[in-house]
Amino acid sequence: MTYEVVNSKVVRVQVSQANPVLARRGAMLGYSGQVAFRPVSGAAQGIGGMVGTMMAGESNKMMVAEGQGSVLYGFRGLYVTVIDLTGDSLVVEADRLLAHDANLQTGVEMVGQGGGRSAVRGAMTGQGLFTTRVSGNGTVSVLSHGGTFPIQLNGETVGVDPQAYVAHTGALQVDLKASVGMRDLIGRGSGEAFQLHVSGHGTVYVQASEEKF
Amino acid sequence: MIDGIETPTWDASSLPADDNVNPYAFSIALAGEWFVSKGAMIAYYGNVEFAGVSQYASRASWVAARFSSPLYASEWVVAAGQGKVIVADRGYDVNSYDLDEGNLTIKQTNLLGFQTSLELKQSIVPGFVTLIGTGKFLASSNGPVIFVEPPFRADPDALLGWADCPSPSQHYDHHWMAQSFMAGIQGMFGRESGEERQYDFTGAGTVLMQSSEQLRVDGALMKLVESQTNLLDAQSAGALGHRLVQRSQQQ
């Protein structure tokens, strides 16, 4: 196990020659051993799939940790959830990625790609216009405000507050449903006019807060 | 009586003595004096008087010997009397530590209180203070404290303190620097994230870490940096002033 949960806010990752780790810039708390950090830029060569991540761009600068040692990752006291991927994929807002194995493939779903729906989803969750798809075999750690809890879905549908949505794995369909009534238009609505309706087979991760970051 | 509340309702006698009330608050059983960080006290029982450190020092001459940091004197108070004092900080985890003939250096903004048997001095590292002697002190951290052993390199924002090991030196990651220089747009490469600069710990001891926090304004830090500018000659000080004015205009 290369990802050790130190506490609810910090994760310790074993870095080796065979297993470099990509992480959000500024998220390294400390390390021991011979580890070198390198900022990764859009034109960077090497580590597969990274280019896609970098296209997410300005708001999501990453760096790669290479060498041999263990690194502590955490970010501004936000809670950390560790998710193992075995061939399936995780869809997450790019801002929330704390660290993941560099050999995972990352792709960005942007405006106009994958239909307008994913763009709207990104916009509505307040995390920018990008959602990132991470896939392959490896481990991902994801940031949240107040911790996450998983909701298992086996064909049913669950409604999630867009601000509380963190990520999902599996074959899930995510739709943004608006129920804007007259009261919302005049600003006296319940504040829950938009909901994400998640259906299918998989797991959706929800944070215990509506706070954005 | 209010229904539906399952946590116990505390009173002066049932509050813990020198123990945590919950992870985020600590109850000091006061019988004498404690040094307490200004603003850390959230409630108290009993006959307790809070006086500024310099004010109290005019009455009790031992204070000056224990609190040898005029810089932070305005950030601290002396709690004197009998009773229970509850301290907390921004909902952070609060822990008590016992120091036994030891020395420990900790970030000033995370130190909440200490017994008067300990002696406080300013560390050479700006924003940190050192406690020397035997006694109990309280410190807050963003999430539980993580203890690691040197050799270890720590991000300055995530470093809470260190005990029994030599003061850190600064380590610059040459990979990071090389990338930045080659790109020639150093500023863009997250210099502000500080990833290329770490505190390097060697020797025997313990390093205390927390999840990185957003910096709380340390009022004394400005005075500290300002006093360091005495090292500069008039011309360099002027040049520094120019740069600082530029920076404040950019933001």
Side-chain angles (χ1 to χ4, degrees):
Chain A
M1 194 61 208
T2 57
Y3 285 63
E4 179 200 344
V5 178
V6 178
N7 62 42
S8 56
K9 295 174 175 179
V10 178
V11 65
R12 179 181 276 125
V13 183
Q14 301 298 330
V15 177
S16 63
Q17 303 291 353
N19 191 14
V21 171
L22 271 171
R24 187 188 171 113
R25 249 183 247 179
M28 190 274 291
L29 303 182
Y31 66 92
S32 59
Q34 295 299 314
V35 183
F37 296 88
R38 195 160 52 76
V40 284
S41 60
Q45 63 288 8
I47 324 281
M50 189 170 69
V51 177
T53 314
M54 289 318 294
M55 285 170 69
E58 303 309 300
S59 64
N60 189 36
K61 292 173 176 168
M62 304 293 275
M63 58 179 179
V64 64
E66 296 160 311
Q68 189 78 41
S70 70
V71 186
L72 291 174
Y73 288 111
F75 193 69
R76 290 189 184 164
L78 291 162
Y79 284 73
V80 181
T81 307
V82 175
I83 300 166
D84 286 313
L85 294 181
T86 48
D88 48 346
S89 67
L90 176 83
V91 176
V92 62
E93 307 296 342
D95 273 6
R96 291 186 183 275
L97 277 177
L98 175 66
H100 63 83
D101 293 337
N103 57 21
L104 286 172
Q105 303 292 313
T106 53
V108 180
E109 294 176 2
M110 278 187 291
V111 185
Q113 197 182 345
R117 195 189 294 131
S118 64
V120 174
R121 187 204 308 153
M124 277 316 299
T125 52
Q127 309 298 330
L129 286 164
F130 302 98
T131 51
T132 300
R133 180 176 290 275
V134 187
S135 50
N137 283 298
T139 312
V140 186
S141 56
V142 171
L143 292 168
S144 66
H145 195 270
T148 62
F149 57 92
I151 300 176
Q152 295 279 350
L153 289 179
N154 293 304
E156 58 274 59
T157 299
V158 65
V160 180
D161 187 295
Q163 274 108 43
Y165 166 86
V166 174
H168 73 259
T169 60
L172 288 178
Q173 184 78 28
V174 181
D175 289 309
L176 185 71
K177 287 272 159 47
S179 56
V180 185
M182 200 57 208
R183 295 178 70 85
D184 292 295
L185 291 177
I186 57 173
R188 305 186 73 176
S190 62
E192 308 289 349
F194 292 95
Q195 287 172 5
L196 292 174
H197 281 206
V198 186
S199 56
H201 295 266
T203 308
V204 56
Y205 293 86
V206 182
Q207 69 174 7
S209 165
E210 294 193 4
E211 190 158 322
K212 304 168 189 171
F213 56 89
Chain B
M1 198 63 196
I2 312 165
D3 288 333
I5 295 176
E6 298 196 0
T7 54
T9 307
W10 303 102
D11 62 29
S13 56
S14 68
L15 268 171
D18 282 342
D19 203 358
N20 276 70
V21 181
N22 62 36
Y24 317 109
F26 187 91
S27 168
I28 301 169
L30 190 69
E33 290 108 344
W34 265 72
F35 287 107
V36 179
S37 172
K38 202 179 258 183
M41 187 275 291
I42 55 167
Y44 71 93
Y45 269 113
N47 181 22
V48 183
E49 184 202 353
F50 296 90
V53 165
S54 42
Q55 186 194 340
Y56 201 84
S58 62
R59 277 186 280 159
S61 55
W62 57 265
V63 169
R66 289 295 170 203
F67 198 97
S68 54
S69 167
L71 187 67
Y72 290 118
S74 59
E75 312 279 321
W76 285 79
V77 294
V78 176
Q82 307 283 329
K84 298 265 175 68
V85 178
I86 302 171
V87 295
D89 174 33
R90 295 169 283 173
Y92 281 14
D93 289 45
V94 179
N95 281 301
S96 68
Y97 304 81
D98 291 300
L99 211 56
D100 182 20
E101 288 296 317
N103 79 84
L104 179 137
T105 305
I106 191 164
K107 195 177 266 180
Q108 198 278 138
T109 49
N110 288 86
L111 183 63
L112 301 185
F114 57 97
Q115 280 179 336
T116 51
S117 55
L118 288 167
E119 194 179 332
L120 177 131
K121 291 182 186 299
Q122 273 168 237
S123 169
I124 287 176
V125 183
F128 285 77
V129 292
T130 303
L131 293 169
I132 302 166
T134 302
K136 197 184 275 293
F137 68 95
L138 305 174
S140 67
S141 63
N142 194 344
V145 181
I146 303 154
F147 297 93
V148 288
E149 280 179 10
F152 190 80
R153 291 188 181 132
D155 181 62
D157 288 341
L159 179 65
L160 187 61
W162 61 91
D164 303 329
C165 53
S167 285
S169 53
Q170 296 201 347
H171 171 83
Y172 287 89
D173 197 315
H174 68 273
H175 275 83
W176 194 286
M177 301 299 276
Q179 287 277 321
S180 304
F181 287 138
M182 276 192 291
I185 33 172
Q186 217 173 351
M188 256 184 72
F189 270 117
R191 272 190 76 92
E192 75 279 2
S193 79
E195 224 74 45
E196 77 288 354
R197 182 174 72 100
Q198 296 115 22
Y199 288 158
D200 194 345
F201 289 92
T202 53
T206 310
V207 182
L208 283 66
M209 302 284 297
Q210 62 177 349
S211 181
S212 66
E213 59 176 329
Q214 280 159 310
L215 288 182
R216 191 168 75 158
V217 177
D218 182 349
L221 197 55
M222 201 187 91
K223 285 186 249 167
L224 189 68
V225 173
E226 196 184 332
S227 70
Q228 297 272 313
T229 58
N230 290 340
L231 297 169
L232 299 172
D233 59 41
Q235 199 188 349
S236 332
L240 178 66
H242 258 293
R243 254 176 255 166
L244 292 176
V245 168
Q246 271 178 0
R247 197 175 85 174
S248 69
Q249 281 168 349
Q250 275 171 6
Q251 284 164 354

